[in-house]
Amino acid sequence: MSSPLFPVILAGGKGERFWPLSRQDRPKQFLSLDGSSRSLLQSTADRLVRLAGGWNELWVITSSQLGLGVQQQLPELPSQNLLIEPQGRDTAAAVAWASLEIQKRYGDDAIIGFFPSDHWIADQEAFKNTLDAATQLAASTEAIVTLGIKPAFPSTGYGYIEQGQKIGSFNDLPAYHVNRFTEKPNRETAETFLSTGQFSWNSGMFVFRAGVVLKELHTHAPEIIEPLEKLGVEVYPQLPKKSIDYALMEKTNLVYVLPAEFGWDDLGDWNAIERLLKKADIPNVELATHVGLDTQGAILYASNPDDVIVTIGLEDVVIVRDRNVTLIVNKERTQEIKQVLKTIQSDPRFNELL
């Protein structure tokens, strides 16, 4: 890599769609969901620390509730590279604060990459080549580079990026100016997007020089960057709660996309387990001791190996057994777990389930 990259892992999420396994004291990024012994956060750090050249260049930003857990999961991470938000204010504030801290230490030309803590990447070499390309583009141009994922199917669960004019190639990957970001589409719109060949899934990963992003934040999100510059992290609870897409990406003219293929999943809900682990000749995905009769298309998970899940005549369900909760949900309705959690949160009888 011609210029060093300072990766920042965004590790403050709750992962509510993986409840009851994901809870306040053990969010999704602390879990191993792919059958390995490494949590999602640890796997993310493993691949990024190799790209950065060492732990001294890797950063993590997380919430005050999760700071100790991050330290336990990543004992090699220098304490000064762990930024702990006093209150969650969504990704715009996190990006602004981390970019300011890295700029103070390494200057305007420091190249920063932001990466969610809960993604799955299949092809590590292709991922490295894509990050090399993004770093080259960010080093040579005033650019906010986003990694687009070439769509494998007309997903209605991802945002999309429409590519515009090609501006060149980096590491043999074409780069395009971004025409627009779009929200999660309906099925018909997603199919139309794919038919044009001009759209990528929005991965939520991006790369830029510190000075470039700070300048653009001053232009498009002064209500976030200016208080942070003047008052520091103490002002955090007063900052507006905005995503980086809404606060900056959808407004700046400096955003570019690198459509990439390295095997990617954002592990958004329990159905992601099936995408990762389903085998053609086995009817279910079983991360539990399961005794089944006429059951197929099921996803079964038990955190206690002594627990046994018994099913009869079920199809296309998710069954999760963790501690004192059993979840049973149709696979098509896993997104609604967040709605059930709102009910649980409002009832003091269920505080220990959160």
Side-chain angles (χ1 to χ4, degrees):
M1 203 174 276
S2 56
S3 301
L5 175 69
F6 297 95
V8 180
I9 301 175
L10 298 163
K14 299 177 182 177
E16 290 180 329
R17 293 187 186 92
F18 274 92
W19 183 86
L21 191 62
S22 179
R23 306 204 196 186
Q24 291 178 351
D25 63 337
R26 190 188 58 193
K28 178 175 65 168
Q29 56 268 34
F30 291 176
L31 305 175
S32 174
L33 296 171
D34 61 0
S36 74
S37 61
R38 301 290 280 172
S39 72
L40 297 176
L41 174 61
Q42 289 169 331
S43 294
T44 301
D46 289 345
R47 61 176 168 265
L48 292 175
V49 77
R50 289 193 291 267
L51 298 177
W55 285 96
N56 286 334
E57 287 69 44
L58 182 69
W59 294 62
V60 177
I61 184 164
T62 191
S63 67
S64 55
Q65 297 94 330
L66 303 180
L68 179 59
V70 170
Q71 290 175 321
Q72 292 171 342
Q73 291 245 322
L74 304 177
E76 305 94 335
L77 183 74
S79 59
Q80 65 269 26
N81 289 13
L82 176 60
L83 303 180
I84 297 178
E85 298 175 293
Q87 186 172 331
R89 307 310 294 159
D90 214 325
T91 52
V95 168
W97 184 29
S99 298
L100 276 173
E101 293 300 319
I102 293 174
Q103 185 256 2
K104 288 176 188 175
R105 197 181 301 181
Y106 298 105
D108 283 342
D109 289 333
I111 298 175
I112 310 170
F114 281 85
F115 305 89
S117 60
D118 53 2
H119 287 182
W120 174 82
I121 304 294
D123 188 335
Q124 304 298 322
E125 190 60 32
F127 180 72
K128 178 185 181 302
N129 290 340
T130 303
L131 262 295
D132 284 350
T135 302
Q136 292 170 22
L137 175 54
S140 61
T141 309
E142 282 204 336
I144 294 174
V145 186
T146 183
L147 304 190
I149 307 298
K150 290 184 179 180
F153 58 93
S155 171
T156 59
Y158 299 140
Y160 284 74
I161 303 168
E162 183 181 22
Q163 65 194 44
Q165 182 179 0
K166 182 179 178 180
I167 62 153
S169 293
F170 301 82
N171 250 25
D172 297 323
L173 289 175
Y176 303 88
H177 196 272
V178 169
N179 275 353
R180 60 172 172 142
F181 290 85
T182 70
E183 298 298 325
K184 299 173 182 178
N186 59 33
R187 177 81 181 191
E188 183 179 358
T189 302
E191 290 174 348
T192 301
F193 286 172
L194 262 66
S195 69
T196 69
Q198 302 299 307
F199 286 82
S200 301
W201 288 335
N202 183 0
S203 73
M205 294 182 277
F206 35 91
V207 176
F208 41 67
R209 273 181 280 150
V212 171
V213 77
L214 293 176
K215 183 183 73 172
E216 289 299 283
L217 285 168
H218 272 285
T219 300
H220 300 291
E223 72 280 7
I224 294 174
I225 191 64
E226 290 179 4
L228 276 171
E229 283 186 331
K230 293 175 183 176
L231 301 172
V233 70
E234 289 77 14
V235 79
Y236 230 83
Q238 282 74 55
L239 296 178
K241 194 172 184 179
K242 293 182 180 180
S243 71
I244 191 63
D245 281 353
Y246 178 78
L248 180 61
M249 297 297 186
E250 296 174 5
K251 299 174 181 176
T252 178
N253 292 319
L254 300 183
V255 64
Y256 299 85
V257 60
L258 283 170
E261 292 179 282
F262 40 68
W264 170 88
D265 200 299
D266 76 339
L267 302 180
D269 63 28
W270 282 104
N271 289 310
I273 302 299
E274 186 172 62
R275 293 194 295 269
L276 294 190
L277 302 179
K278 182 71 170 73
K279 296 180 180 178
D281 56 341
I282 298 177
N284 305 299
V285 176
E286 300 179 0
L287 294 171
T289 303
H290 174 227
V291 178
L293 177 64
D294 296 331
T295 295
Q296 59 183 358
I299 302 167
L300 306 116
Y301 188 104
S303 55
N304 186 344
D306 293 330
D307 286 350
V308 179
I309 297 175
V310 180
T311 63
I312 301 173
L314 296 183
E315 187 172 349
D316 295 334
V317 296
V318 177
I319 302 175
V320 181
R321 175 68 182 162
D322 179 67
R323 287 183 270 184
N324 52 349
V325 177
T326 301
L327 169 73
I328 304 170
V329 58
N330 187 287
K331 287 198 298 191
E332 294 184 357
R333 302 187 65 176
T334 55
Q335 295 286 318
E336 297 173 46
I337 291 174
K338 292 184 73 172
Q339 294 175 227
V340 174
L341 273 176
K342 289 181 181 178
T343 302
I344 292 173
Q345 288 165 354
S346 66
D347 192 328
R349 292 179 301 164
F350 300 138
N351 286 345
E352 64 179 32
L353 305 184
L354 298 173

